[in-house]
Amino acid sequence: MDIDFNKNEDHNKLLVSELNNRLAKVHLGGGKSALEKQHKKGKMTAHERINYLLDANSKCIEIAAFAGEDMYQEHGGCPSGGVVVKIGYIKGKQCIVVANDASVKAGAWFPITAKKNLRAQEIAIENNLPIIYLVDSAGVYLPLQDEIFPDKEHFGRIFRNNAIMSSKGITQIAAVMGSCVAGGAYLPIMSDEALIVDKTGSIFLAGSYLVKAAIGETIDNETLGGATTHCEISGVTDYKAKDDADALDTIKNIIDKIGDYEKAGFNRIEPAKPKENPQDIYGILPKTRVEQYDMYEIIKRLVDNSEFEEYKAGYGQTIITAYARINGWAVGIVANQRKLVKTKKGEMQFGGVIYNDSADKATRFIANCNQKKIPLVFLQDVTGFMVGSKSEHSGIIKDGAKMVNAVSNSVVPKFTVIIGNSYGAGNYAMCGKAYDPRLIVAWPSAELAVMSGNSAAKVLLQIEKASLEKKGEKITPKKEEELYNKIKNKYDKQVSPYYAAAHIWTDAIIDPLDTRKWISMGIEAANHAPIEKPFNMGVLQV
């Protein structure tokens, strides 16, 4: 192995180490003292509840762990969006679990909390997955109510989704394990079955203080809306649990009796590990986003037996299209080639750039995968579409539109892995978040933006210079360098995968070695939802 491989390996392993350290920190929620308060109340923490509920030693994946990172600092922050979401197995059945983290502002809902909950429900709806809510929340965070209450994708959408899932026959179970107040009280009751923990769980539209203020009635919260009230008087809840463990055991018993689901029928055989060592990914992937590397070598370390059948290998070589298997599942891979390639005509094409022929090839391959009912996996390291007179005269906009059309109308499940660059329209064509991938994850090496930090800083610098010079300011070389660095530092922060994860533009930042698990569990989830409509690209300029 050469020196560059070793340098890359050291760099990428440090990125993974940073990822693990940041995950450990975010898993502390509101901090160790806040978690200890949960224990003193006789309650498990959000992570403990989920871990108890999921089958021991089974696989699971966490959705949007970094939601809210570095956001709402003036309000004390909102680690992980104040809610924990995992996809895992309960009694062998794949489910999604949503648990309020009461260590973060008593589980209050920030705007990002609503977005994360809606993402969890979206995953459940798309994949017909049972969803379990572990409720322990003080309700809407009032100082930010205007950002969470009235709009289409705000708090009320949660209950609308409850109703939609119920009509689709998607199992919903809610356990009230702490506070459940105001509008939030509708969530457990709009679920199929609701549990409540005695003495720690409570449900009411208005607590005792507000009742006193509103109608003058004096009553304590337990009598107003505790477990005995709702299990024996109002009939609002279905099961009374003595403690958290009892509630979670009841959920396990309910899930254990759910019947089998109608399958989509995606092809799967006995899984096989890659023959090439996946650990090599750390050494293959360059330290910077401008260096070249061979995407074929990455693919060999992600697919079963390191084998794939390439479609149109000699055509449109800046996109690789191939059939393969990941953990036994048949997949169609669409990947950006990051090497400089030479066409049969002797022309050189830049790696990571989508040209006319590569867009055309990808469009055809996506259509083929839809016809054959093969899930699609997009491996993104893309700087965008080729520009210049030759590309424009060849109709790059039309060819790019065809690819975007195919991605948009694809009916097979799509999964996106952002390995490196994810810039501009390339993000769209390679199935960015706006194009409904079932799951979208980033490696720690990823960057998401309209363009690279360096390019954007140069453009923005020229705009800033022109503005200052118009005001009569003289821009010295030193001043220009200061402006450039200020702009680039701000932009670099925004292209970070952690910035994207904080805003839930991706579902997770993952260790590259976990990629196979995410895709496999994602296809397993998608297999719960039969494809209901044929693939149709609509009106298309061929």
Side-chain angles (χ1 to χ4, degrees):
M1 294 184 184
D2 61 25
I3 189 68
D4 288 335
F5 184 98
N6 292 334
K7 287 180 178 179
N8 292 340
E9 186 177 42
D10 290 344
H11 174 76
N12 287 306
K13 284 186 174 180
L14 282 173
L15 290 182
V16 171
S17 178
E18 180 193 5
L19 168 63
N20 291 333
N21 289 336
R22 293 175 77 150
L23 275 173
K25 182 180 178 181
V26 84
H27 284 167
L28 292 174
K32 290 181 179 179
S33 61
L35 295 176
E36 189 54 39
K37 286 180 182 177
Q38 291 283 97
H39 291 154
K40 288 178 180 178
K41 293 176 182 178
K43 302 197 297 187
M44 297 178 182
T45 67
H47 280 280
E48 288 169 347
R49 287 167 174 169
I50 293 180
N51 292 340
Y52 184 94
L53 187 59
L54 297 181
D55 295 344
N57 302 316
S58 63
K59 296 183 296 182
C60 70
I61 53 179
E62 184 174 358
I63 303 296
F66 291 108
E69 185 169 83
D70 292 332
M71 296 167 66
Y72 316 113
Q73 294 306 306
E74 67 276 21
H75 298 278
C78 187
S80 214
V83 63
V84 182
V85 176
K86 289 188 179 182
I87 300 174
Y89 301 87
I90 302 171
K91 295 293 186 178
K93 293 182 173 64
Q94 197 176 40
C95 303
I96 185 163
V97 186
V98 181
N100 297 116
D101 187 348
S103 76
V104 179
K105 289 284 193 295
W109 287 59
F110 283 66
I112 199 68
T113 315
K115 186 173 183 179
K116 185 169 175 177
N117 275 270
L118 288 169
R119 176 59 180 145
Q121 289 186 321
E122 180 182 42
I123 291 170
I125 292 169
E126 286 181 329
N127 299 291
N128 286 345
L129 276 188
I131 184 168
I132 293 93
Y133 309 99
L134 306 180
V135 184
D136 193 346
S137 172
V140 167
Y141 184 65
L142 290 176
L144 296 173
Q145 65 87 26
D146 62 319
E147 298 178 40
I148 187 176
F149 170 64
D151 210 345
K152 180 179 178 180
E153 299 300 330
H154 284 177
F155 191 63
R157 189 78 170 182
I158 302 289
F159 317 128
R160 175 265 188 193
N161 286 349
N162 287 142
I164 295 296
M165 282 189 278
S166 182
S167 72
K168 290 178 175 288
I170 298 171
T171 298
Q172 299 177 84
I173 301 170
V176 179
M177 312 179 84
S179 297
C180 183
V181 301
Y186 289 104
L187 184 146
I189 313 312
M190 294 189 73
S191 300
D192 302 334
E193 296 183 82
L195 305 84
I196 186 168
V197 178
D198 195 21
K199 299 297 185 285
T200 56
S202 58
I203 310 172
F204 34 65
L205 295 181
S208 56
Y209 292 125
L210 187 53
V211 168
K212 177 70 174 177
I215 64 173
E217 181 183 1
T218 301
I219 190 170
D220 63 88
N221 282 338
E222 183 64 25
T223 306
L224 180 67
T228 298
T229 295
H230 286 309
C231 287
E232 299 176 17
I233 300 174
S234 72
V236 165
T237 49
D238 307 308
Y239 306 89
K240 181 164 73 170
K242 63 183 181 181
D243 54 26
D244 281 9
D246 186 35
L248 298 170
D249 285 336
T250 302
I251 293 173
K252 291 180 184 183
N253 291 333
I254 296 170
I255 293 292
D256 190 39
K257 296 171 182 65
I258 295 176
D260 202 2
Y261 58 90
E262 183 182 355
K263 296 174 179 62
F266 301 122
N267 185 293
R268 192 182 196 189
I269 62 173
E270 188 67 26
K273 294 180 179 180
K275 288 181 179 177
E276 300 289 344
N277 186 358
Q279 292 270 352
D280 292 344
I281 289 172
Y282 297 134
I284 295 167
L285 194 64
K287 289 174 63 176
T288 71
R289 302 284 60 81
V290 296
E291 296 176 67
Q292 295 183 6
Y293 64 96
D294 191 348
M295 184 63 82
Y296 287 108
E297 297 304 318
I298 299 289
I299 294 172
K300 288 176 185 176
R301 287 155 179 85
L302 294 177
V303 302
D304 291 11
N305 291 316
S306 300
E307 295 174 345
F308 53 87
E309 294 76 44
E310 189 171 3
Y311 172 81
K312 288 186 177 288
Y315 178 70
Q317 296 176 69
T318 63
I319 285 183
I320 299 167
T321 49
Y323 299 108
R325 291 189 182 275
I326 292 179
N327 203 30
W329 294 104
V331 296
I333 293 174
V334 181
N336 302 113
Q337 173 59 293
R338 279 307 313 270
K339 283 182 64 177
L340 192 68
V341 298
K342 189 174 183 179
T343 69
K344 296 295 183 183
K345 297 178 181 179
E347 300 171 334
M348 301 304 295
Q349 293 185 340
F350 296 101
V353 178
I354 301 175
Y355 289 77
N356 299 72
D357 52 0
S358 47
D360 174 65
K361 177 174 78 170
T363 302
R364 292 170 181 268
F365 182 72
I366 291 165
N368 277 334
C369 286
N370 273 271
Q371 188 175 41
K372 297 178 176 69
K373 205 159 74 170
I374 300 173
L376 286 159
V377 175
F378 292 83
L379 303 179
Q380 280 198 19
D381 194 341
V382 58
T383 54
F385 286 88
M386 190 58 189
V387 296
S389 60
K390 184 175 180 180
S391 290
E392 296 292 1
H393 295 171
S394 299
I396 187 65
I397 296 174
K398 182 172 67 175
D399 289 327
K402 287 192 294 185
M403 184 175 173
V404 169
N405 191 312
V407 173
S408 302
N409 286 298
S410 178
V411 295
V412 295
K414 300 167 290 193
F415 302 90
T416 302
V417 182
I418 304 173
I419 291 175
N421 302 317
S422 181
Y423 298 153
N427 169 282
Y428 301 159
M430 291 294 293
C431 197
K433 182 68 182 290
Y435 293 80
D436 296 326
R438 296 293 177 97
L439 294 170
I440 177 170
V441 297
W443 289 0
S445 48
E447 292 187 356
L448 289 81
V450 174
M451 61 181 74
S452 71
N454 187 51
S455 299
K458 287 179 180 178
V459 172
L460 294 170
L461 175 64
Q462 297 307 312
I463 296 171
E464 182 72 8
K465 277 178 62 180
S467 176
L468 293 173
E469 287 170 350
K470 198 172 183 180
K471 295 175 182 176
E473 290 191 36
K474 185 177 180 181
I475 308 300
T476 65
K478 183 180 178 181
K479 175 72 172 176
E480 183 172 334
E481 184 180 3
E482 289 174 354
L483 282 171
Y484 173 81
N485 288 333
K486 181 180 177 182
I487 293 168
K488 188 174 186 303
N489 288 339
K490 180 182 178 182
Y491 202 88
D492 283 346
K493 181 181 178 182
Q494 293 179 352
V495 305
S496 160
Y498 292 95
Y499 190 89
H503 292 80
I504 319 183
W505 300 338
T506 60
D507 291 315
I509 304 171
I510 66 169
D511 183 335
L513 303 187
D514 286 334
T515 304
R516 283 170 53 85
K517 178 178 75 170
W518 274 79
I519 294 172
S520 176
M521 287 187 67
I523 298 175
E524 182 182 350
N527 205 35
H528 287 73
I531 296 171
E532 297 178 350
K533 64 177 183 177
F535 175 64
N536 184 345
M537 288 179 63
V539 177
L540 184 67
Q541 291 185 321
V542 179

